[in-house]
């Protein structure tokens, strides 16, 4: 655990911008491995990772809307209710 502390930026767990982002609940900003590989710090998200996450989340939302329009609530029920 002490080794991890030396690769952690002071302050919050993630970038301050992440706290107010509308896509935060869908984002992988919490992935310390990805953060460390891209910034050298476990708790800092790189601008590239942020931009990529935003793009992919928006694409996924658009695909979800299209499938829901074409397949109706069946797609939503299958996705959400995985018994």
């Amino acid at each position: 655990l002490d080794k991890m502390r030396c690769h952690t930026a002071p302050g919050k767990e993630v970038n301050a911008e992440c706290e107010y982002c509308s896509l935060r609940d869908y984002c992988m900003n919490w992935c310390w491995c990805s953060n460390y590989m891209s910034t050298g710090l476990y708790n800092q998200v790189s601008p590239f990772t942020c931009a990529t996450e935003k793009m992919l989340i928006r694409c996924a939302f658009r695909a979800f809307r299209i499938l829901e329009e074409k397949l109706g609530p069946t797609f939503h029920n299958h996705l959400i209710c995985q018994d």
Side-chain angles (χ1 to χ4, degrees):
L1 192 57
D2 285 335
K3 283 185 179 183
M4 289 175 66
R5 282 194 184 101
C6 68
H7 295 289
T8 303
K12 302 270 182 185
E13 288 184 22
V14 295
N15 302 36
E17 311 87 66
C18 296
E19 288 186 50
Y20 305 105
C21 180
S22 64
L23 303 176
R24 181 180 180 197
D25 292 340
Y26 307 100
C27 184
M28 292 287 292
N29 66 4
W30 51 266
C31 180
W32 282 25
C33 293
S34 175
N35 293 345
Y36 182 75
M37 294 302 291
S38 61
T39 67
L41 299 167
Y42 292 108
N43 63 336
Q44 291 294 298
V45 181
S46 75
F48 178 78
T49 299
C50 180
T52 303
E53 285 289 309
K54 285 179 180 179
M55 178 189 64
L56 293 173
I57 291 166
R58 288 182 179 126
C59 286
F61 283 162
R62 186 171 62 236
F64 183 83
R65 276 196 308 272
I66 291 168
L67 288 170
E68 193 173 48
E69 286 173 10
K70 292 183 182 219
L71 302 176
T74 303
F75 177 73
H76 179 266
N77 293 341
H78 176 72
L79 183 68
I80 303 302
C81 304
Q82 298 178 7
D83 292 329

